[in-house]
Amino acid sequence: GSSKDALKGAYVVSEAKDPKAMQGILIGTGSEVSLAIDAQQELAKEGIDVRVVSMPCEELFDAQSDAYKESILPNAVRARVAVEAAADFGWGKYVGLDGATVTMKGFGASAPAAKLFEKFGFTKENVVKTMRDVIAKQN
């Protein structure tokens, strides 16, 4: 089913326990989606209910109807964190003024991938902390 949804540019890959009362949205691309799901599970242990959205193609998502976009990224849910192992360019459009990104802020490092992901904050712990911080700013 997700392959058809991917053709829309973005889709809910892991729903919040209670979509009507979700506290935030994690948006991931590619391999970062699994990191977002790991963070979602950790946040759930703390009683924080979030949705995970896979966004493989911003352009396709932008071309969808307003109703579809609202069903994936409801305007009422302003606590959003985008996770992408690349630059943060363009993510502000989806996370808004209240959101945050976990993205690359520098280049040129060379090491095994696992070490680089940890060095640059692509960890479950950092994604969880970032979402907690975004939610706290809204309260």
Side-chain angles (χ1 to χ4, degrees):
S2 66
S3 61
K4 286 182 181 178
D5 292 334
L7 295 174
K8 295 178 179 177
Y11 59 97
V12 176
V13 70
S14 184
E15 185 57 272
K17 186 175 181 180
D18 182 358
K20 292 182 178 170
M22 75 175 123
Q23 295 163 272
I25 301 172
L26 293 168
I27 307 167
T29 62
S31 62
E32 292 84 301
V33 172
S34 65
L35 177 57
I37 290 172
D38 290 346
Q40 178 193 40
Q41 293 168 350
E42 189 65 29
L43 288 161
K45 292 177 188 174
E46 300 174 19
I48 300 171
D49 195 18
V50 301
R51 161 186 288 180
V52 177
V53 169
S54 175
M55 187 176 287
C57 183
E58 295 173 15
E59 292 82 9
L60 285 173
F61 181 66
D62 290 345
Q64 300 307 309
S65 70
D66 289 344
Y68 181 77
K69 290 185 277 191
E70 175 68 17
S71 76
I72 304 301
L73 298 175
N75 288 323
V77 182
R78 296 173 56 118
R80 301 177 183 183
V81 174
V83 184
E84 181 180 16
D88 65 353
F89 181 76
W91 283 111
K93 178 178 184 178
Y94 304 104
V95 300
L97 294 173
D98 298 327
T101 60
V102 175
T103 57
M104 287 296 295
K105 297 184 178 37
F107 297 95
S110 179
K115 285 207 175 275
L116 289 174
F117 266 53
E118 185 175 334
K119 175 180 172 48
F120 290 110
F122 293 99
T123 63
K124 171 180 68 175
E125 294 78 16
N126 188 43
V127 174
V128 166
K129 179 189 178 309
T130 303
M131 179 54 82
R132 269 197 238 116
D133 291 349
V134 168
I135 290 171
K137 282 194 292 187
Q138 299 198 1
N139 294 331

